[in-house]
């Protein structure tokens, strides 16, 4: 049970990792566990999360926009993020809720900074300028070999409505792109070790779930927000 004081501050938990690393499953399991423990939880995702963000997401994920330059891509991801921050994330944190975000600025650092080689510094500066430097209390990195992640994502895509679009988009990127993204995430995990928890996502989902829960409990315990 959370204490009243602890509930007022709110927590920001972000999930990161390659497409196919299992974020969606783990986020929904974590949200259920937290709700069972009486926390109020907001789950949101990027790009998207708001009506404006969903429209931006469509532009970003449309394979016919294959001439989009990396900087435009970065600005669109930030446009979606700023909208989500102001409309959903900040108000929920102010209400003392636990906010779980499926991808945040670290995705832009990993995918555009490292994957598209724009470098991490530019993205970090934009984050300071546009997002007021907001930092997650905890970032869960579901780490997986690019080959395994892509095979899983391909399998998942077959069951989604926008399967064709998703698969086409992923096939546009060579494996080395995802290897750079993964390496970028590993750099971030070192740089921000105080908020990062790297979890081996090749384990069975139950093991990953237990590791995620342990990390979240640790964060809440540190804040004095767990009463048994
Ligand atoms: P999505 O279909 O939501 O993928 P997933 O379910 O794996 O998160 O699409 C998000 C895609 O956008 C994914 O390939 C990662 C990419 N992305 C970036 O390149 N930069 C970003 O800043 C964000 C948030 C996502």
């Amino acid at each position: 049970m959370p204490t009243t004081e602890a509930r007022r501050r709110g927590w920001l938990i972000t999930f990161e990792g390659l497409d196919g690393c299992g974020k969606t499953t783990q986020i929904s399991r974590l949200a259920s566990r937290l709700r069972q423990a009486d926390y109020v939880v907001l789950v949101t995702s990027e790009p998207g999360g708001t009506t404006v963000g969903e429209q931006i997401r469509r532009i970003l994920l449309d394979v016919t926009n294959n001439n989009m330059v990396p900087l435009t891509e970065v600005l669109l991801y930030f446009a979606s993020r700023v909208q989500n921050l102001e409309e959903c994330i900040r108000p929920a944190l102010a209400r003392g809720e636990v906010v779980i975000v499926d991808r945040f600025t670290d995705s832009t650092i990993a995918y555009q900074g490292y994957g598209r080689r724009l470098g991490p510094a530019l993205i970090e500066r934009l984050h300071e300028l546009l997002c007021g430097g907001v930092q997650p209390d905890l970032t869960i990195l579901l780490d997986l070999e690019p080959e395994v992640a892509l095979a899983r994502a391909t399998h998942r895509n077959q069951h989604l409505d926008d399967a064709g679009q998703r698969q086409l988009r992923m096939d546009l990127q060579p494996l080395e792109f995802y290897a750079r993204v993964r390496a970028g995430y590993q750099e971030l995990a070192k740089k921000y070790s105080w908020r990062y928890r790297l979890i081996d996502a090749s384990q069975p989902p139950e093991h990953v779930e237990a590791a995620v829960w342990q990390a979240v409990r640790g964060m809440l315990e540190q804040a004095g927000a767990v009463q048994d």
Side-chain angles (χ1 to χ4, degrees):
M1 270 289 277
T3 64
T4 319
E5 197 197 329
R7 291 179 76 142
R8 221 171 288 137
R9 188 183 139 263
W11 289 270
L12 179 59
I13 303 174
T14 58
F15 274 73
E16 297 288 351
L18 296 178
D19 308 67
C21 69
K23 283 184 287 97
T24 314
T25 309
Q26 293 302 330
I27 287 173
S28 94
R29 292 186 183 191
L30 172 62
S32 308
R33 278 196 176 209
L34 283 167
R35 287 184 181 122
Q36 271 166 22
D38 213 20
Y39 288 90
V40 181
V41 181
L42 173 81
V43 177
T44 182
S45 63
E46 295 192 2
T50 62
T51 310
V52 171
E54 283 304 325
Q55 293 177 54
I56 297 170
R57 179 190 167 85
R58 275 199 290 279
I59 301 172
L60 277 164
L61 304 187
D62 183 346
V63 283
T64 60
N65 288 333
N66 61 359
N67 61 342
M68 191 186 293
V69 299
L71 206 47
T72 306
E73 199 178 62
V74 164
L75 294 172
L76 286 174
Y77 279 116
F78 269 106
S80 169
R81 180 165 308 127
V82 168
Q83 184 71 29
N84 201 11
L85 255 179
E86 299 308 320
E87 197 178 316
C88 306
I89 298 175
R90 282 195 210 278
L93 290 174
R95 290 193 300 269
E97 298 178 13
V98 180
V99 180
I100 306 176
V101 193
D102 187 342
R103 300 194 180 281
F104 199 55
T105 298
D106 291 349
S107 277
T108 319
I109 298 177
Y111 279 79
Q112 281 67 47
Y114 288 90
R116 299 228 189 274
R117 301 187 199 273
L118 285 178
L122 170 78
I123 320 288
E124 302 229 21
R125 260 183 88 194
L126 285 171
H127 181 76
E128 280 298 317
L129 283 169
L130 303 175
C131 305
V134 59
Q135 286 286 339
D137 296 288
L138 175 68
T139 298
I140 304 282
L141 172 57
L142 299 182
D143 183 55
L144 202 55
E145 298 272 346
E147 292 84 352
V148 181
L150 290 188
R152 280 198 199 170
T154 301
H155 179 75
R156 173 198 66 180
N157 287 350
Q158 291 162 0
H159 305 284
L160 295 173
D161 297 343
D162 57 351
Q165 279 275 105
R166 279 175 177 260
Q167 197 53 45
L168 264 174
R169 182 164 50 81
M170 279 183 15
D171 291 344
L172 289 176
Q173 302 303 330
L175 199 59
E176 302 86 76
F177 173 84
Y178 294 100
R180 284 200 298 278
V181 174
R182 184 193 193 204
Y185 272 134
Q186 289 174 341
E187 284 296 313
L188 285 168
K190 269 189 248 154
K191 181 170 179 189
Y192 298 105
S193 57
W194 53 272
R195 68 170 160 92
Y196 254 86
R197 286 296 282 271
L198 188 148
I199 295 173
D200 174 5
S202 68
Q203 306 173 82
E206 291 66 34
H207 293 206
V208 177
E209 183 183 347
V212 170
W213 185 238
Q214 196 189 29
V216 172
R217 287 246 342 160
M219 178 199 73
L220 294 169
E221 268 164 11
Q222 238 184 2
V226 179
Q227 287 182 337
D228 288 314

